[in-house]
Amino acid sequence: MAQAFGIVSFAGNNIRVGEMQNYRPVGAVSFLGRYRVIDFPISNMSNSEIEHIQVYVRRKPRSLTEHLGTGRHYNINSKSGRLHILYSDFENAEWSVYNNDLAAYEENMECIEAVKYPYVVIAPSYMIYTQNYDELLKTHIESGADITLLYHSVDNAKEYYLNCSTLNLNKQKGVLSLEPNHGNAKNRNIFMDTYVMRKDLFMELVKKGRKISSMFTLNDIVNMACSELDVRGVSHRGFFASITDFKSYYNANLSLIDMKNAVTLFDKNWPIYTRTNDSCPTKYYEGASVKRSVISNGCLIEGTVENSVIGRGCVIKKGAVVKDSVILPGVVIGEDARIEAQVVDKSARIVHAKELIANPEKPGYVRRNDTL
């Protein structure tokens, strides 16, 4: 059992995954057909033997709380562990700069103080990666650092990760500062919004940040503390995707169709847990054609699917063509419809429109429950 408890933070105002976020927080968005984005940080914590996990929610909580339930499907020890959902209560302030992570932590400080573990691991609900937090915690303790930050080195920061922060490191991987990625250099150390520190220091930073400014986030106060504390970076290896806008969501789904990418994320010894339901295997009718795609269970496929992600319980009718698209659960694609470079939200029906075609560089979107 790790010496830390876990916190899964919510997305800030800089994260906006298009119209999909009108219905649920980013963590509750369907990913790769059968998962939700939040399954990855919680599974990382569960696999790392972190048994007490706090999940913070600030807006439209229904779909997320329904998915999380009691947390039993995350293999958390039901006797000694707990999945605790905590809310940020700011009336009529869903997107307010005041409704930030430090405000949520301060509001729920009593719950944080009650946890008996000496360390805390904080991870975002909107990033896809695997990481052994127990090993990260051991690295943190052995280094003697005050705070350890996880980062991923990329060579495409000019075009991607523009809503993320970057770490400026010295030669000893000490963190000099955190700053927004402005897209002015291709090689950057992208901060994965993952922190390790002592619980008492975390509480101290929350209180200090709230005194300095009501608009301060944890990122802001840690950046300010870099000149006073020993803050160090640890490099992450493997698959990494940051779901910070609509295009990054689309790209992350389609990138995992490639088996070379998938094997860097999915490991039989490091399972990604999710809420499951009983459904039959997908049925492929005579004449169906499926190429280079991820197909979830419970689907009925009569048409053609190519380079796409298909969620649970979808129906692809005869003559329909789905290409370069992300189809969320419960969608119906009618006969002879052609769908290209689209994200079709949950339970939508495309039965009258015969052609929805966009450029993969600017994918289209069909709203949840819409009938076209």
Side-chain angles (χ1 to χ4, degrees):
M1 183 176 65
Q3 300 180 59
F5 72 103
I7 287 178
V8 180
S9 61
F10 54 63
N13 289 330
N14 61 316
I15 310 298
R16 182 64 179 164
V17 188
E19 292 184 55
M20 300 184 76
Q21 221 167 320
N22 292 341
Y23 306 102
R24 76 284 266 180
V26 181
V29 173
S30 175
F31 186 78
L32 207 62
R34 68 186 301 263
Y35 301 101
R36 305 289 182 98
V37 176
I38 202 169
D39 291 335
F40 291 84
I42 296 180
S43 295
N44 285 336
M45 291 180 179
S46 175
N47 291 330
S48 302
E49 298 186 338
I50 293 176
E51 296 184 339
H52 189 108
I53 303 170
Q54 296 180 351
V55 178
Y56 285 78
V57 187
R58 76 166 182 165
R59 63 183 302 273
K60 296 192 179 296
R62 182 179 60 80
S63 59
L64 186 61
T65 53
E66 285 179 355
H67 178 72
L68 295 176
T70 63
R72 292 182 64 183
H73 49 283
Y74 292 111
N75 198 35
I76 299 170
N77 189 313
S78 59
K79 290 187 177 180
S80 61
R82 183 186 184 191
L83 184 70
H84 194 184
I85 303 174
L86 299 167
Y87 301 93
S88 179
D89 185 18
F90 279 75
E91 187 176 358
N92 300 321
E94 288 186 349
W95 300 107
S96 170
V97 292
Y98 299 110
N99 190 3
N100 54 44
D101 56 355
L102 285 192
Y105 301 145
E106 182 184 54
E107 187 175 344
N108 292 282
M109 187 59 71
E110 183 177 345
C111 297
I112 295 171
E113 291 175 339
V115 179
K116 297 179 181 179
Y117 297 101
Y119 293 92
V120 59
V121 175
I122 304 168
S125 60
Y126 47 91
M127 291 185 175
I128 307 289
Y129 66 90
T130 55
Q131 174 68 39
N132 188 324
Y133 292 139
D134 190 41
E135 290 184 358
L136 185 63
L137 176 61
K138 289 176 181 176
T139 298
H140 169 76
I141 294 172
E142 290 171 0
S143 71
D146 295 309
I147 303 173
T148 295
L149 307 179
L150 191 65
Y151 69 91
H152 192 92
S153 298
V154 304
D155 59 4
N156 57 353
K158 278 192 173 183
E159 299 85 14
Y160 302 101
Y161 309 104
L162 297 179
N163 290 331
C164 297
S165 295
T166 64
L167 299 188
N168 293 320
L169 304 172
N170 59 27
K171 293 182 179 180
Q172 291 74 39
K173 292 192 176 181
V175 180
L176 303 174
S177 64
L178 295 85
E179 64 179 38
N181 177 26
H182 296 297
N184 51 16
K186 65 177 185 178
N187 295 303
R188 288 293 190 188
N189 299 315
I190 302 300
F191 177 39
M192 299 170 70
D193 279 10
T194 301
Y195 310 76
V196 182
M197 67 185 87
R198 290 192 62 86
K199 186 186 79 169
D200 54 3
L201 174 59
F202 169 62
M203 293 190 298
E204 180 184 327
L205 289 174
V206 170
K207 294 172 183 176
K208 182 178 180 181
R210 293 294 290 165
K211 286 182 179 179
I212 294 173
S213 171
S214 297
M215 296 171 59
F216 255 34
T217 64
L218 183 59
N219 185 303
D220 293 325
I221 190 61
V222 169
N223 179 46
M224 181 175 286
C226 285
S227 60
E228 304 170 0
L229 301 177
D230 183 358
V231 183
R232 303 191 191 182
V234 171
S235 178
H236 170 264
R237 297 288 184 268
F239 182 87
F240 169 59
S242 181
I243 311 301
T244 53
D245 55 31
F246 185 69
K247 184 62 163 48
S248 63
Y249 170 76
Y250 174 82
N251 288 345
N253 275 275
L254 294 191
S255 69
L256 287 166
I257 295 174
D258 188 336
M259 186 59 69
K260 291 181 181 178
N261 290 329
V263 296
T264 65
L265 178 65
F266 295 102
D267 183 339
K268 64 180 181 180
N269 298 316
W270 196 266
I272 304 301
Y273 302 103
T274 189
R275 191 180 189 91
T276 58
N277 52 27
D278 294 327
S279 59
C280 60
T282 287
K283 184 175 182 178
Y284 300 90
Y285 289 82
E286 186 177 353
S289 174
V290 177
K291 300 178 181 177
R292 199 174 181 271
S293 296
V294 175
I295 311 294
S296 303
N297 57 319
C299 298
L300 302 175
I301 298 180
E302 298 178 86
T304 298
V305 180
E306 182 178 342
N307 196 52
S308 296
V309 173
I310 310 296
R312 291 173 172 151
C314 291
V315 177
I316 313 295
K317 294 284 190 176
K318 185 178 180 180
V321 176
V322 178
K323 184 178 179 181
D324 301 330
S325 295
V326 180
I327 311 298
L328 273 65
V331 168
V332 175
I333 308 295
E335 289 189 9
D336 300 321
R338 187 174 186 87
I339 310 298
E340 292 189 20
Q342 301 288 325
V343 175
V344 183
D345 211 333
K346 184 178 179 181
S347 300
R349 295 171 54 85
I350 302 174
V351 292
H352 304 297
K354 293 302 180 183
E355 195 173 89
L356 292 176
I357 298 177
N359 188 319
E361 291 303 311
K362 193 175 181 181
Y365 175 68
V366 178
R367 294 178 301 182
R368 179 174 175 173
N369 296 319
D370 260 9
T371 299
L372 300 180

